[in-house]
Amino acid sequence: MTARGADVTAEGADMAATAPVVVRQTPPEPARPRWSRLGGPAAFTATAVLVLVVAPLLLEPFRLGLLAKYLCYAIVALGIGLAWGQGGMLTLGQGVFFGLGGYAMGMYLKLHDAGGDLPDFMVWSGVEKLPALWAPFGNPVFALAMAVVVPVLVALALGTLVFRQRVRGAYFAILTQALAAALVILLVGQQGLTGGTNGLTNFFDIFGNDVAADTTQRGLYLTVAIVLGVLYLGAWQLVRSRFGRLLLAIRDGEDRVRFLGYDPATVKTVTFAMSAGMAGIAGALFVPVVGIISPALLGVVPSLELVVAVAVGGRYALAGAVLGAVVMGYARTYFSEELPDAWLYLQGALFILVMTLAPKGVAGLASGVAAGLRGRLARGRAAA
């Protein structure tokens, strides 16, 4: 390079160094408010506090008991939302785990009311000695533990057998539905052990309190609401953890996750067991609230109704599953009173409309509307 060329190069470098740098300005993204960043827990906690405080003051005992029943269904729906909405496992047999938890609690209550004698239905059935299966359930701690442990163990066994064979989709749904039908047949056929078609009923005392008393029912309602809130917050945290992200990845592309070195069968089995445990807890709470547990409450039809409720509320959002269970429970009560012959048709039509027009349910519609409003707000600020 000549001396003249070197001078020109140096001059160009000096000009580049001193030239102003033009940076294209982009409008900053509007800061989201704190409540929006907190998302589900903040909104759910505020709603839960409102329900806990206001509902017992405004509702008469009968209506409060109905709301407690709806919240029990919401706990089951929360588990379905976790398994189906987050994990892609369409379970049509959650009534099985709901019933196992309910019968565990019902066995304790019947033994407690009997005061060491045989429960009334066993006397009517000609049973002369308390079956060995029933004896441990005289302990309330054992009964409460079994209401959760037994559903979890059954789900773990079923999940291990099924998911290891890569059974999924409609095949898994049909299998869980068949399990619910088989359990109903088993319970109905064991009249002296399970109460048969009538199930377990006529409960009078729970932990030293009259089940039918208004104060007891209010206490049960608060217990159900608190348990639902705790389980929701736990599920919400789980979904946003590393395990939850892996679960979503399995839902959207199980084979890809397997090729990356993860074991989808283990993740799906654990999630399925957690949903079963939630259903067992709901069943145990349902029995003292409603006063009965029978095969009619845990068969194929109740399980399908819960799936419909989750679909209507929004299976991809945990809050949508809870909302769907409460709304559908209230709608069933209302329309059964006003239009008893039309409720099933309305329920089926609602499910078809939601699945065809709004696959993400009410929660999905609300999320879409909120996203649209945030987009308009951001564009308006950028234009200003």
Side-chain angles (χ1 to χ4, degrees):
M1 180 181 296
T2 63
R4 177 60 181 170
D7 293 340
V8 171
T9 303
E11 183 179 358
D14 293 339
M15 292 177 64
T18 58
V21 179
V22 179
V23 179
R24 179 171 296 179
Q25 298 292 331
T26 57
E29 182 180 355
R32 297 174 63 185
R34 182 174 178 81
W35 64 266
S36 179
R37 295 196 301 269
L38 291 176
F44 190 87
T45 302
T47 305
V49 171
L50 182 65
V51 170
L52 283 173
V53 175
V54 175
L57 299 177
L58 299 181
L59 298 179
E60 58 184 11
F62 174 73
R63 296 297 175 182
L64 189 65
L66 288 178
L67 181 56
K69 182 176 72 171
Y70 305 153
L71 295 183
C72 290
Y73 290 144
I75 296 176
V76 186
L78 179 63
I80 296 176
L82 185 64
W84 181 29
Q86 307 299 319
M89 295 170 284
L90 176 57
T91 170
L92 301 180
Q94 286 299 97
V96 172
F97 311 117
F98 179 82
L100 291 174
Y103 269 91
M105 175 59 73
M107 291 165 71
Y108 161 72
L109 294 178
K110 293 301 291 184
L111 290 175
H112 180 72
D113 290 339
D117 297 330
L118 290 176
D120 50 8
F121 74 91
M122 290 187 181
V123 176
W124 304 334
S125 301
V127 178
E128 298 179 355
K129 183 180 179 181
L130 185 69
L133 178 64
W134 273 68
F137 286 89
N139 187 324
V141 177
F142 180 85
L144 290 173
M146 289 300 102
V148 181
V149 172
V150 173
V152 169
L153 290 179
V154 172
L156 285 175
L158 180 63
T160 301
L161 294 174
V162 171
F163 297 133
R164 292 295 176 185
Q165 301 300 321
R166 301 186 183 180
V167 176
R168 54 188 174 183
Y171 300 100
F172 174 74
I174 294 173
L175 182 61
T176 57
Q177 188 178 41
L179 182 63
L183 180 63
V184 170
I185 295 174
L186 177 64
L187 294 174
V188 172
Q190 301 295 323
Q191 174 69 37
L193 189 65
T194 63
T197 305
N198 296 325
L200 305 180
T201 186
N202 294 329
F203 307 117
F204 303 104
D205 184 271
I206 177 172
F207 304 129
N209 300 299
D210 183 8
V211 174
D214 293 346
T215 55
T216 304
Q217 288 298 314
R218 292 183 185 275
L220 289 172
Y221 165 78
L222 293 175
T223 301
V224 173
I226 292 172
V227 170
L228 173 59
V230 171
L231 291 178
Y232 175 84
L233 294 177
W236 185 90
Q237 184 63 36
L238 177 69
V239 169
R240 280 149 182 80
S241 66
R242 182 178 179 182
F243 181 90
R245 292 194 294 270
L246 181 59
L247 182 63
L248 291 176
I250 293 173
R251 181 196 68 185
D252 297 334
E254 181 174 340
D255 293 332
R256 293 185 178 183
V257 173
R258 183 179 292 107
F259 293 152
L260 291 175
Y262 294 97
D263 185 7
T266 300
V267 178
K268 293 171 70 174
T269 300
V270 172
T271 305
F272 185 49
M274 287 190 290
S275 69
M278 292 181 184
I281 294 173
L285 295 171
F286 180 88
V287 171
V289 168
V290 180
I292 186 175
I293 184 69
S294 68
L297 296 171
L298 51 99
V300 174
V301 174
S303 299
L304 290 175
E305 289 179 343
L306 286 170
V307 171
V308 171
V310 173
V312 171
R315 63 188 174 103
Y316 296 111
L318 297 178
V322 173
L323 176 64
V326 175
V327 171
M328 291 296 287
Y330 174 78
R332 179 181 181 181
T333 300
Y334 177 79
F335 287 108
S336 295
E337 294 174 352
E338 301 295 332
L339 302 170
D341 296 331
W343 162 240
L344 291 179
Y345 299 101
L346 292 174
Q347 186 181 36
L350 180 61
F351 178 69
I352 294 174
L353 289 175
V354 168
M355 295 306 294
T356 54
L357 301 179
K360 294 184 179 180
V362 175
L365 289 176
S367 178
V369 172
L373 292 177
R374 287 197 299 268
R376 290 185 179 181
L377 181 61
R379 289 191 297 269
R381 290 182 178 179

Coordinates of all heavy atoms in Angstrom, one line a residue, residues 76 79-81 83-85 88-98 158 163 168-184 272 275 279 297-311 315 351 355:
V76 N -62.1 -32.4 41.1 CA -61.9 -33.5 40.1 C -61.6 -32.9 38.7 O -60.7 -33.4 38.0 CB -63.2 -34.3 40.0 CG1 -63.0 -35.5 39.0 CG2 -63.6 -34.9 41.3
G79 N -58.0 -31.9 38.3 CA -57.1 -33.1 37.9 C -57.3 -33.4 36.5 O -56.3 -33.8 35.8
I80 N -58.5 -33.3 36.0 CA -58.7 -33.6 34.5 C -58.0 -32.6 33.7 O -57.4 -32.9 32.7 CB -60.2 -33.7 34.2 CG1 -60.9 -34.8 34.9 CG2 -60.4 -33.8 32.7 CD1 -62.4 -34.9 34.8
G81 N -58.1 -31.3 34.1 CA -57.4 -30.3 33.4 C -55.9 -30.5 33.4 O -55.2 -30.2 32.4
A83 N -54.3 -33.5 33.6 CA -54.0 -34.7 32.8 C -54.3 -34.5 31.4 O -53.5 -34.8 30.5 CB -54.8 -35.9 33.4
W84 N -55.5 -33.9 31.1 CA -56.0 -33.8 29.7 C -55.5 -32.5 29.0 O -54.9 -32.5 28.0 CB -57.5 -33.8 29.7 CG -58.1 -33.8 28.3 CD1 -57.5 -34.2 27.1 CD2 -59.4 -33.2 27.9 NE1 -58.4 -33.9 26.0 CE2 -59.5 -33.3 26.5 CE3 -60.4 -32.7 28.7 CZ2 -60.7 -32.9 25.9 CZ3 -61.5 -32.2 28.0 CH2 -61.7 -32.4 26.6
G85 N -55.7 -31.4 29.7 CA -55.4 -30.1 29.1 C -53.9 -29.9 29.0 O -53.4 -29.4 28.0
G88 N -52.4 -34.0 27.7 CA -53.0 -34.7 26.5 C -53.6 -36.0 26.8 O -53.8 -36.8 25.8
M89 N -53.8 -36.4 28.0 CA -54.4 -37.7 28.4 C -55.9 -37.5 28.7 O -56.3 -37.1 29.7 CB -53.7 -38.2 29.6 CG -52.2 -38.5 29.4 SD -51.4 -38.9 31.0 CE -51.2 -37.3 31.7
L90 N -56.7 -37.9 27.7 CA -58.1 -37.8 27.9 C -58.6 -38.9 28.7 O -58.7 -40.1 28.3 CB -58.8 -37.8 26.5 CG -60.4 -37.8 26.6 CD1 -60.9 -36.6 27.3 CD2 -60.9 -37.8 25.1
T91 N -58.9 -38.6 30.0 CA -59.3 -39.7 30.9 C -60.9 -39.6 31.1 O -61.4 -38.6 31.5 CB -58.6 -39.5 32.3 OG1 -59.2 -40.4 33.2 CG2 -58.6 -38.1 32.8
L92 N -61.5 -40.7 30.8 CA -63.0 -40.8 30.9 C -63.4 -41.6 32.1 O -64.6 -42.0 32.1 CB -63.6 -41.4 29.6 CG -63.3 -40.6 28.3 CD1 -63.9 -41.3 27.1 CD2 -63.7 -39.2 28.4
G93 N -62.5 -41.8 33.0 CA -62.8 -42.7 34.1 C -62.4 -42.1 35.5 O -62.1 -42.8 36.4
Q94 N -62.4 -40.7 35.6 CA -62.1 -40.1 36.9 C -63.1 -40.5 38.0 O -62.7 -40.4 39.1 CB -62.0 -38.6 36.7 CG -60.8 -38.1 36.0 CD -59.5 -38.5 36.6 OE1 -58.9 -39.5 36.2 NE2 -59.0 -37.7 37.5
G95 N -64.3 -40.9 37.6 CA -65.2 -41.4 38.6 C -64.7 -42.6 39.4 O -65.1 -42.8 40.5
V96 N -63.8 -43.3 38.8 CA -63.2 -44.5 39.6 C -62.4 -43.9 40.8 O -62.6 -44.4 41.9 CB -62.2 -45.2 38.6 CG1 -61.4 -46.3 39.4 CG2 -63.0 -45.9 37.5
F97 N -61.6 -43.0 40.6 CA -60.8 -42.5 41.7 C -61.6 -41.6 42.6 O -61.4 -41.7 43.9 CB -59.6 -41.6 41.1 CG -58.9 -42.3 40.0 CD1 -58.9 -41.8 38.7 CD2 -58.2 -43.5 40.3 CE1 -58.2 -42.5 37.7 CE2 -57.5 -44.2 39.2 CZ -57.5 -43.7 38.0
F98 N -62.6 -40.9 42.1 CA -63.5 -40.2 43.0 C -64.3 -41.2 43.9 O -64.5 -40.9 45.1 CB -64.5 -39.4 42.1 CG -65.6 -38.7 42.8 CD1 -65.3 -37.4 43.3 CD2 -66.8 -39.2 43.0 CE1 -66.3 -36.7 44.0 CE2 -67.8 -38.5 43.6 CZ -67.5 -37.2 44.1
L158 N -52.0 -48.6 36.6 CA -52.6 -48.5 35.3 C -51.7 -47.7 34.3 O -51.5 -48.1 33.2 CB -54.0 -47.8 35.4 CG -54.7 -47.6 34.0 CD1 -55.0 -49.0 33.4 CD2 -56.0 -46.8 34.2
F163 N -48.9 -46.7 29.6 CA -48.0 -45.8 29.0 C -46.7 -46.4 28.5 O -46.1 -46.0 27.6 CB -47.7 -44.6 29.9 CG -49.0 -43.8 30.2 CD1 -49.3 -43.4 31.5 CD2 -49.8 -43.4 29.2 CE1 -50.4 -42.7 31.8 CE2 -51.0 -42.7 29.5 CZ -51.3 -42.3 30.8
R168 N -52.2 -44.4 23.9 CA -52.6 -43.0 24.1 C -53.8 -42.7 23.2 O -54.3 -43.6 22.5 CB -51.4 -42.1 23.7 CG -50.8 -42.3 22.3 CD -49.5 -41.5 22.1 NE -48.9 -41.8 20.9 CZ -47.7 -41.3 20.5 NH1 -47.1 -40.5 21.3 NH2 -47.2 -41.6 19.3
G169 N -54.2 -41.5 23.3 CA -55.3 -41.0 22.5 C -56.6 -41.7 22.8 O -56.9 -41.9 24.0
A170 N -57.4 -42.1 21.8 CA -58.7 -42.7 22.0 C -58.6 -44.0 22.7 O -59.5 -44.4 23.5 CB -59.4 -42.8 20.7
Y171 N -57.5 -44.7 22.5 CA -57.4 -46.0 23.2 C -57.3 -45.9 24.7 O -57.9 -46.7 25.4 CB -56.2 -46.8 22.6 CG -56.2 -47.0 21.1 CD1 -55.5 -46.2 20.2 CD2 -57.0 -48.0 20.6 CE1 -55.6 -46.4 18.9 CE2 -57.1 -48.2 19.2 CZ -56.4 -47.4 18.4 OH -56.5 -47.6 17.0
F172 N -56.5 -44.9 25.1 CA -56.4 -44.7 26.5 C -57.7 -44.2 27.1 O -58.1 -44.6 28.2 CB -55.3 -43.6 26.8 CG -55.2 -43.2 28.2 CD1 -54.7 -44.0 29.2 CD2 -55.7 -41.9 28.6 CE1 -54.6 -43.6 30.5 CE2 -55.6 -41.5 30.0 CZ -55.1 -42.4 30.9
A173 N -58.4 -43.3 26.4 CA -59.8 -42.9 26.9 C -60.7 -44.0 27.0 O -61.5 -44.1 28.0 CB -60.3 -41.8 25.9
I174 N -60.8 -44.9 26.1 CA -61.7 -46.0 26.1 C -61.3 -47.0 27.3 O -62.2 -47.5 28.0 CB -61.7 -46.8 24.8 CG1 -62.3 -45.9 23.7 CG2 -62.5 -48.1 24.9 CD1 -62.2 -46.5 22.3
L175 N -60.0 -47.1 27.5 CA -59.6 -48.0 28.6 C -60.0 -47.5 30.0 O -60.5 -48.2 30.8 CB -58.1 -48.1 28.6 CG -57.5 -49.1 29.6 CD1 -58.0 -50.5 29.4 CD2 -55.9 -49.0 29.5
T176 N -59.9 -46.2 30.2 CA -60.3 -45.6 31.4 C -61.9 -45.6 31.6 O -62.4 -45.8 32.7 CB -59.9 -44.1 31.5 OG1 -60.3 -43.4 30.4 CG2 -58.3 -44.1 31.6
Q177 N -62.6 -45.5 30.5 CA -64.0 -45.6 30.5 C -64.4 -47.0 30.9 O -65.4 -47.2 31.7 CB -64.6 -45.2 29.2 CG -66.1 -45.1 29.2 CD -66.6 -44.6 27.8 OE1 -66.1 -45.1 26.8 NE2 -67.6 -43.7 27.8
A178 N -63.8 -48.0 30.3 CA -64.1 -49.4 30.7 C -63.8 -49.7 32.1 O -64.5 -50.5 32.8 CB -63.3 -50.3 29.8
L179 N -62.7 -49.1 32.7 CA -62.4 -49.3 34.1 C -63.5 -48.7 35.0 O -63.9 -49.4 36.0 CB -61.1 -48.5 34.4 CG -60.6 -48.7 35.8 CD1 -60.3 -50.1 36.2 CD2 -59.3 -47.8 36.1
A180 N -64.1 -47.6 34.6 CA -65.2 -47.0 35.4 C -66.4 -48.0 35.3 O -67.1 -48.2 36.4 CB -65.6 -45.7 34.8
A181 N -66.7 -48.5 34.2 CA -67.9 -49.4 34.0 C -67.6 -50.7 34.8 O -68.6 -51.2 35.5 CB -68.1 -49.7 32.6
A182 N -66.4 -51.2 34.8 CA -66.1 -52.4 35.6 C -66.2 -52.2 37.1 O -66.7 -53.1 37.8 CB -64.7 -52.9 35.2
L183 N -65.8 -51.0 37.6 CA -65.9 -50.7 39.0 C -67.3 -50.7 39.4 O -67.7 -51.1 40.5 CB -65.2 -49.4 39.3 CG -65.2 -49.0 40.8 CD1 -64.5 -50.1 41.7 CD2 -64.6 -47.6 41.0
V184 N -68.2 -50.1 38.6 CA -69.6 -50.0 39.0 C -70.2 -51.4 39.1 O -71.0 -51.7 40.0 CB -70.4 -49.2 37.9 CG1 -71.9 -49.3 38.1 CG2 -69.9 -47.7 38.0
F272 N -50.8 -38.5 35.8 CA -52.1 -39.3 35.9 C -52.3 -39.6 37.3 O -53.5 -39.6 37.8 CB -52.0 -40.5 35.0 CG -53.3 -41.3 35.0 CD1 -54.5 -40.7 34.7 CD2 -53.3 -42.7 35.2 CE1 -55.7 -41.4 34.7 CE2 -54.4 -43.4 35.1 CZ -55.6 -42.8 34.9
S275 N -53.6 -36.5 39.2 CA -55.0 -36.3 38.9 C -55.9 -37.2 39.7 O -57.0 -36.9 40.1 CB -55.2 -36.3 37.4 OG -55.1 -37.7 37.0
A279 N -58.8 -36.5 42.6 CA -60.2 -37.0 42.5 C -60.5 -37.8 43.8 O -61.7 -37.7 44.3 CB -60.3 -38.0 41.3
L297 N -72.8 -42.4 41.2 CA -72.0 -41.2 41.2 C -70.6 -41.3 40.6 O -69.9 -40.3 40.5 CB -71.9 -40.7 42.7 CG -73.3 -40.3 43.3 CD1 -73.0 -40.0 44.8 CD2 -73.9 -39.1 42.6
L298 N -70.2 -42.5 40.3 CA -68.9 -42.7 39.8 C -68.8 -43.6 38.6 O -67.7 -44.1 38.2 CB -68.0 -43.3 40.9 CG -68.6 -44.6 41.6 CD1 -68.0 -45.9 41.0 CD2 -68.4 -44.5 43.1
G299 N -69.8 -43.7 37.8 CA -69.8 -44.5 36.6 C -69.3 -43.7 35.4 O -68.7 -42.7 35.5
V300 N -69.7 -44.2 34.3 CA -69.3 -43.6 33.0 C -69.9 -42.3 32.8 O -69.2 -41.3 32.4 CB -69.6 -44.6 31.8 CG1 -69.3 -43.9 30.5 CG2 -68.9 -45.9 32.0
V301 N -71.2 -42.2 33.0 CA -71.9 -40.9 32.8 C -71.4 -39.7 33.6 O -71.1 -38.7 33.1 CB -73.4 -41.1 33.0 CG1 -74.2 -39.7 32.8 CG2 -74.0 -42.1 32.0
P302 N -71.2 -39.9 35.0 CA -70.6 -38.8 35.7 C -69.2 -38.4 35.2 O -68.9 -37.2 35.2 CB -70.6 -39.3 37.2 CG -71.7 -40.4 37.2 CD -71.6 -41.0 35.8
S303 N -68.4 -39.4 34.9 CA -67.1 -39.1 34.4 C -67.1 -38.3 33.1 O -66.4 -37.3 32.9 CB -66.3 -40.4 34.1 OG -66.2 -41.1 35.3
L304 N -68.1 -38.6 32.2 CA -68.2 -37.9 30.9 C -68.7 -36.5 31.2 O -68.3 -35.5 30.5 CB -69.2 -38.6 30.0 CG -68.7 -39.9 29.4 CD1 -69.8 -40.6 28.6 CD2 -67.5 -39.7 28.5
E305 N -69.6 -36.3 32.2 CA -70.1 -35.0 32.5 C -69.0 -34.1 33.0 O -68.9 -32.9 32.7 CB -71.2 -35.1 33.5 CG -72.5 -35.7 33.0 CD -73.6 -35.8 34.0 OE1 -73.2 -35.7 35.2 OE2 -74.8 -36.0 33.7
L306 N -68.0 -34.6 33.7 CA -66.9 -33.8 34.2 C -66.0 -33.4 33.1 O -65.5 -32.3 33.0 CB -66.1 -34.6 35.3 CG -66.8 -34.8 36.6 CD1 -66.1 -35.8 37.5 CD2 -66.9 -33.4 37.3
V307 N -65.8 -34.3 32.1 CA -65.0 -34.0 30.9 C -65.7 -32.9 30.1 O -65.0 -32.0 29.6 CB -64.8 -35.3 30.1 CG1 -64.1 -34.9 28.8 CG2 -63.9 -36.3 30.8
V308 N -67.0 -33.0 30.0 CA -67.7 -31.9 29.3 C -67.5 -30.6 30.0 O -67.3 -29.5 29.4 CB -69.2 -32.3 29.2 CG1 -70.0 -31.1 28.6 CG2 -69.4 -33.5 28.3
A309 N -67.6 -30.6 31.3 CA -67.5 -29.4 32.1 C -66.1 -28.8 31.9 O -65.9 -27.6 31.7 CB -67.7 -29.7 33.6
V310 N -65.1 -29.6 31.9 CA -63.7 -29.1 31.6 C -63.6 -28.5 30.2 O -62.9 -27.5 30.0 CB -62.7 -30.2 31.9 CG1 -61.3 -29.8 31.5 CG2 -62.7 -30.7 33.3
A311 N -64.2 -29.2 29.3 CA -64.1 -28.7 27.9 C -64.8 -27.4 27.7 O -64.3 -26.5 27.0 CB -64.7 -29.7 26.9
R315 N -60.0 -26.5 28.7 CA -59.1 -27.5 29.3 C -57.7 -27.1 29.3 O -56.9 -27.7 30.0 CB -59.3 -28.8 28.4 CG -58.9 -28.7 27.0 CD -59.2 -30.0 26.2 NE -59.0 -29.9 24.8 CZ -58.0 -30.5 24.2 NH1 -57.1 -31.1 24.9 NH2 -57.9 -30.4 22.9
F351 N -71.8 -28.8 24.6 CA -70.5 -29.5 24.4 C -70.2 -29.4 22.9 O -69.0 -29.1 22.5 CB -70.6 -30.9 24.8 CG -69.3 -31.7 24.6 CD1 -68.2 -31.4 25.3 CD2 -69.3 -32.7 23.7 CE1 -67.0 -32.1 25.1 CE2 -68.1 -33.4 23.4 CZ -67.0 -33.1 24.2
M355 N -66.9 -27.4 21.3 CA -65.9 -28.1 20.7 C -65.7 -27.7 19.2 O -64.6 -27.8 18.6 CB -66.1 -29.6 20.7 CG -66.0 -30.2 22.2 SD -64.5 -29.8 23.0 CE -63.3 -30.7 22.1

